[in-house]
Amino acid sequence: MPSVVITSKEEMEAIIAKCDVCYVGLADTDGTPYVLPMNFGYKDGIIYLHSGQEGRKTDILKRNNRVCITFSTDHALSFQDAQMACSYTMKSKSVIVQGTVSFEEDFDKKIEILNIFMKNYSDREFKYSTPAINNVKVWKVEVNNMTGKAFGFRSR
Ligand SMILES: Cc1cc2nc3c(=O)[nH]c(=O)nc-3n(C[C@H](O)[C@H](O)[C@H](O)COP(=O)(O)OP(=O)(O)OC[C@H]3O[C@@H](n4cnc5c(N)ncnc54)[C@H](O)[C@@H]3O)c2cc1C
């Protein structure tokens, strides 16, 4: 299947904008990988995630805050010969981001970030309760490296 390397930041951001879920890869210090589906927001080169305060993922992040996040969209099954398994391909576009996680602790900034996050899913204006903001863990992933690829699309 022809694959095209995407070098334009705008194109990579367009792929991210089409996704509603990303896959967050963490690595424990003994090398054990852990990959989770998560919802996200994105603005100006920063990926925003949110979670509860406790759990395996946050335990791992305390030991290693480096993450690798995959976004994938435009999936379409195609084939050249319906009878031939090896002629089937999945057209798709994906972006892989490497970055480091820090947590936002400021109450008002948390709300700003959650608004960016919610914008990914709805154009509504939202209200937040104080306990919800205090309890949510807001992740900021500073992007250190971003690569993109398109599979099954011709280069332009
Ligand atoms: C589409 C989608 C979007 C999601 N978005 C978010 C989000 O924005 N924020 C968020 O915090 N969570 C989100 N989740 C849930 C997330 O994937 C984790 O399940 C959750 O955050 C708990 O992670 P943990 O490491 O704290 O779990 P823990 O409760 O500490 O996990 C205990 C064990 O449960 C298993 N486990 C944990 N999560 C999963 C899973 N998803 N599937 C199968 N086994 C699992 C693992 O083996 C793990 O060792 C989403 C899930 C889906 C499917």
Side-chain angles (χ1 to χ4, degrees), residues 34-98:
Y34 187 51
V35 181
L36 284 169
M38 291 182 80
N39 299 112
F40 69 95
Y42 175 84
K43 191 176 177 193
D44 299 336
I46 299 184
I47 295 162
Y48 297 106
L49 303 162
H50 81 324
S51 72
Q53 295 287 342
E54 309 282 330
R56 183 172 169 191
K57 60 187 178 311
T58 46
D59 288 346
I60 294 173
L61 284 173
K62 283 177 205 152
R63 297 186 282 270
N64 179 9
N65 69 345
R66 293 164 64 200
V67 291
C68 180
I69 305 180
T70 293
F71 302 84
S72 182
T73 187
D74 293 319
H75 306 146
L77 192 62
S78 72
F79 55 83
Q80 287 182 326
D81 178 341
Q83 299 297 314
M84 298 297 292
C86 59
S87 81
Y88 278 74
T89 58
M90 179 68 74
K91 287 184 175 185
S92 55
K93 293 179 180 177
S94 51
V95 165
I96 297 181
V97 161
Q98 269 153 325

